[in-house]
Amino acid sequence: MECKVTVSQGELDQREIDAYIQHGIEKYGRKPVGLNIRVDGDYVDLDYDFGHVPFDRIRRITGYLVGTLDRFNNGKRAEERDRVKHSLS
C-alpha cells in the first residue's frame, strides 16, 4: 500500500519525504497509509495516519491481563470456570 503524502506551506524533495516515511516506520513499527507534512521554516510538523488499527480485547481474569484463555493451564481454566461473576443488575 502506498503512503499518500500531503505537503503544505512549502516544498520538499522526494528524498526528504521518503526519509520522513522511513522515520515513521522505524518509530511506530509499521508503514503509514498517509502523511501530512506542514513546513514551518527550518522545521516540519509530521502527522502520520496508520488507518484502522486492529486490537484484541484484553480482560482482567483471575489477576491476569489476557486476551483469550487458550494459554491457560488446566488449573487456571478451572479457576476461571469456578469464579463468581458479578453483574450490574
Side-chain angles (χ1 to χ4, degrees):
M1 179 179 288
E2 191 64 30
C3 180
K4 181 177 184 277
V5 178
T6 305
V7 179
S8 62
Q9 298 181 356
E11 294 182 10
L12 298 174
D13 65 16
Q14 189 60 45
R15 288 186 332 183
E16 190 170 0
I17 292 171
D18 293 341
Y20 291 135
I21 293 171
Q22 186 61 35
H23 171 74
I25 293 170
E26 291 171 3
K27 183 173 182 177
Y28 299 107
R30 35 190 233 152
K31 186 171 182 179
V33 295
L35 173 58
N36 294 319
I37 305 172
R38 187 174 64 84
V39 180
D40 185 15
D42 290 337
Y43 301 96
V44 294
D45 292 325
L46 303 174
D47 183 27
Y48 292 98
D49 177 17
F50 293 102
H52 176 70
V53 180
F55 67 93
D56 293 327
R57 179 178 176 207
I58 296 194
R59 301 174 290 166
R60 185 175 193 85
I61 298 176
T62 68
Y64 294 92
L65 293 174
V66 297
T68 62
L69 304 179
D70 59 342
R71 296 185 67 200
F72 276 14
N73 62 24
N74 291 338
K76 272 296 171 196
R77 288 177 195 237
E79 185 179 338
E80 190 277 330
R81 184 182 61 245
D82 297 339
R83 72 187 172 119
V84 175
K85 298 176 183 171
H86 303 281
S87 64
L88 298 173
S89 58

